[in-house]
Amino acid sequence: MKGDTMLGGYRVLDLTEGGCLIGGQIFGDLGADVIKIEPPGGSPSRNQGPFYKDIPDPEKSLFWFAYNRNKRSITLDIEKADGKEIFKRLAETADVILESFQPGHLDALGLGYADLCKVKPDIILTSITPYGVTGPKAHYKASDLTIWAASVILFITGDPDRAPVWVSWPCAGLHGGIEGVFASLFALWHREATGEGQHVDAAIQPYLMQHTTGSYYYWECIPFNFPRMGPAIKYVLTVTPMLHRCKDGYVYLPIGGGATAGMASSTTRFVQWMQEEGAAPQWLVERDWVFEHDTSKLTQEEIDRVVSPFVEFLRTKTKSEVSEEAAKRGIMACAVSDTADICRDRHLQARDFWVEIEHPELGHSITYNGPFIKLSEAPMKIFRRAPLIGEHNEEVYEKELGFSREELIRLCEADVI
């Protein structure tokens, strides 16, 4: 038991795959004993790259490393009769079970919520699925892209005159895993208060829709189908770019004013910076950003003329120069960070976000991202690296469940574990 953590003393069984694996990892960061149950031979998620030193190997998947720290691993085929009985014995010791199978899969195996309640009446079973366990689309096949497409987010992302685009890294499943964690914690809190377990139906689609709730209001009230805007903000008659090229990438800088007082003062301060470096024409310096920048009256030609000096100026600056000056002068601007940027970000380094974890089996340490929440009284921690396939079989089956060595050998030969 990890007594100085939030969830020390609780046990979670993790049957999830893909991005949903992050849910068990967060439970582990909070101190719960998380047992990742893999089929004999290993989880299919281990086959997802990239791989350590570009060596395709289920024990070297960086995807696996990223979402499975603080877990123990056992192998178990829950579709075999012996496997089902062993899983029920494990369920008796657990508080929460996370799963991401197709709806009804565990029921068909005799391991659904009703079946598990017979061995652990207060168990919490959290099912993370694309569309939920009930409804017309419950059994639809889904991928990361189709879930985004079903959640409006895909439609409103990209340029208005081109097809919608998605986030390059698949992350709908990650959202599902995070949703599964906080839904399970609510259920755990309810169990502490009432003694009742429950089945948690954590559907990813409606969760993703929370990101764009505002767009639905337009449809309900006008109706207006919220469009893609690309790297710009669209007004009634004009479009003003917000993302601009600089020397080493892109920066975000809204340019404008009018009734948006904050933007007017930010733009004024940016012009002052340009003026100090001799890059602002006099008409731009003298411009009143509150009274002269009414987007309901400006033409696109006027907008383009106003924006042009900013564009030219930004091309002479780096991302860090813009970010530092924005912070110093109170300008609404920031760098568009890429992966290399965040890996050397001094703010994340100062907050100890990156953590070196030893991988003895590789003879090397790997940099992990640390917990994204800091708790003053019961901090989230990294206790162990991501596990090897069945690394803790002996520890869990023999030492905790009381299996004999002969039984383990028999189960192994029968491909149950």
Side-chain angles (χ1 to χ4, degrees):
M1 175 176 175
K2 308 180 185 87
D4 60 341
T5 62
M6 190 77 77
L7 295 180
Y10 289 93
R11 171 170 284 181
V12 176
L13 304 182
D14 187 351
L15 291 169
T16 66
E17 295 293 346
C20 297
L21 286 164
I22 196 174
Q25 178 167 282
I26 295 172
F27 266 113
D29 290 352
L30 288 165
D33 174 23
V34 181
I35 300 177
K36 172 59 188 154
I37 298 175
E38 306 184 57
S43 161
S45 297
R46 291 178 175 274
N47 297 320
Q48 185 165 338
F51 295 92
Y52 176 73
K53 292 191 174 181
D54 206 22
I55 303 171
D57 184 318
E59 299 286 30
K60 293 183 171 61
S61 165
L62 296 177
F63 178 88
W64 176 263
F65 292 171
Y67 304 119
N68 288 283
R69 67 169 184 243
N70 285 341
K71 299 180 186 179
R72 296 191 290 170
S73 165
I74 62 171
T75 51
L76 181 65
D77 186 344
I78 63 171
E79 297 190 3
K80 287 188 164 67
D82 283 344
K84 294 176 186 177
E85 293 307 310
I86 293 172
F87 182 75
K88 288 178 181 177
R89 288 182 61 180
L90 284 166
E92 288 183 66
T93 71
D95 300 285
V96 176
I97 299 173
L98 302 173
E99 63 102 353
S100 60
F101 295 113
Q102 280 281 309
H105 180 74
L106 287 179
D107 290 313
L109 295 177
L111 298 174
Y113 177 65
D115 303 297
L116 296 172
C117 281
K118 294 175 184 175
V119 298
K120 184 70 185 297
D122 62 351
I123 194 71
I124 295 167
L125 174 64
T126 299
S127 299
I128 307 169
T129 61
Y131 302 105
V133 299
T134 60
K137 294 185 177 180
H139 292 278
Y140 274 27
K141 298 290 185 184
S143 67
D144 202 90
L145 180 58
T146 61
I147 301 173
W148 284 117
S151 308
V152 178
I153 294 174
L154 191 67
F155 179 80
I156 63 175
T157 304
D159 294 317
D161 57 344
R162 303 182 69 180
V165 298
W166 70 323
V167 179
S168 301
W169 179 257
C171 53
L174 294 170
H175 285 279
I178 294 169
E179 176 194 12
V181 171
F182 72 69
S184 301
L185 289 174
F186 290 147
L188 202 56
W189 178 260
H190 177 80
R191 194 189 75 170
E192 295 300 311
T194 67
E196 299 174 346
Q198 59 187 297
H199 186 196
V200 178
D201 180 358
I204 300 174
Q205 181 203 23
Y207 176 70
L208 293 181
M209 290 169 61
Q210 304 308 308
H211 295 62
T212 54
T213 304
S215 67
Y216 318 139
Y217 297 158
Y218 283 92
W219 181 258
E220 287 292 330
C221 297
I222 300 179
F224 172 68
N225 214 347
F226 203 84
R228 293 182 293 285
M229 295 201 294
I233 185 167
K234 180 175 174 53
Y235 297 103
V236 177
L237 301 173
T238 59
V239 174
T240 303
M242 293 192 295
L243 292 173
H244 312 273
R245 280 190 179 278
C246 63
K247 287 176 71 173
D248 56 351
Y250 289 88
V251 293
Y252 164 78
L253 173 70
I255 301 167
T260 313
M263 191 183 297
S265 58
S266 171
T267 304
T268 300
R269 287 190 281 269
F270 194 91
V271 172
Q272 288 171 349
W273 179 26
M274 294 169 64
Q275 183 184 18
E276 290 169 14
E277 300 207 8
Q282 192 59 33
W283 61 266
L284 193 65
V285 175
E286 295 172 353
R287 187 177 181 82
D288 187 320
W289 290 93
V290 175
F291 296 104
E292 295 181 43
H293 202 87
D294 184 346
T295 53
S296 66
K297 298 177 180 177
L298 292 172
T299 65
Q300 188 62 52
E301 184 180 18
E302 290 170 316
I303 290 289
D304 293 343
R305 176 174 177 265
V306 167
V307 169
S308 178
F310 292 87
V311 172
E312 294 302 316
F313 179 71
L314 287 168
R315 285 181 183 275
T316 69
K317 302 298 178 187
T318 64
K319 289 187 284 188
S320 61
E321 287 172 335
V322 174
S323 293
E324 290 171 10
E325 208 66 29
K328 187 168 66 177
R329 295 173 180 266
I331 296 169
M332 292 191 295
C334 69
V336 179
S337 299
D338 57 24
T339 306
D341 292 330
I342 63 167
C343 286
R344 53 179 179 247
D345 184 284
R346 60 186 173 87
H347 177 76
L348 292 173
Q349 291 173 359
R351 287 175 57 81
D352 299 322
F353 180 72
W354 307 110
V355 182
E356 290 286 320
I357 299 180
E358 289 292 329
H359 276 253
E361 80 285 1
L362 301 176
H364 197 259
S365 64
I366 291 179
T367 303
Y368 280 59
N369 59 283
F372 49 83
I373 299 171
K374 287 184 177 292
L375 300 164
S376 63
E377 302 304 318
M380 300 171 79
K381 298 179 181 178
I382 297 178
F383 303 96
R384 64 173 85 229
R385 58 147 171 73
L388 303 175
I389 300 170
E391 182 177 354
H392 303 94
N393 277 357
E394 183 178 323
E395 187 174 297
V396 173
Y397 289 131
E398 197 169 340
K399 296 180 180 175
E400 297 181 14
L401 293 184
F403 283 87
S404 67
R405 179 54 58 97
E406 290 72 23
E407 286 176 300
L408 289 187
I409 293 173
R410 180 185 67 79
L411 291 168
C412 187
E413 290 177 343
D415 286 331
V416 175
I417 66 173

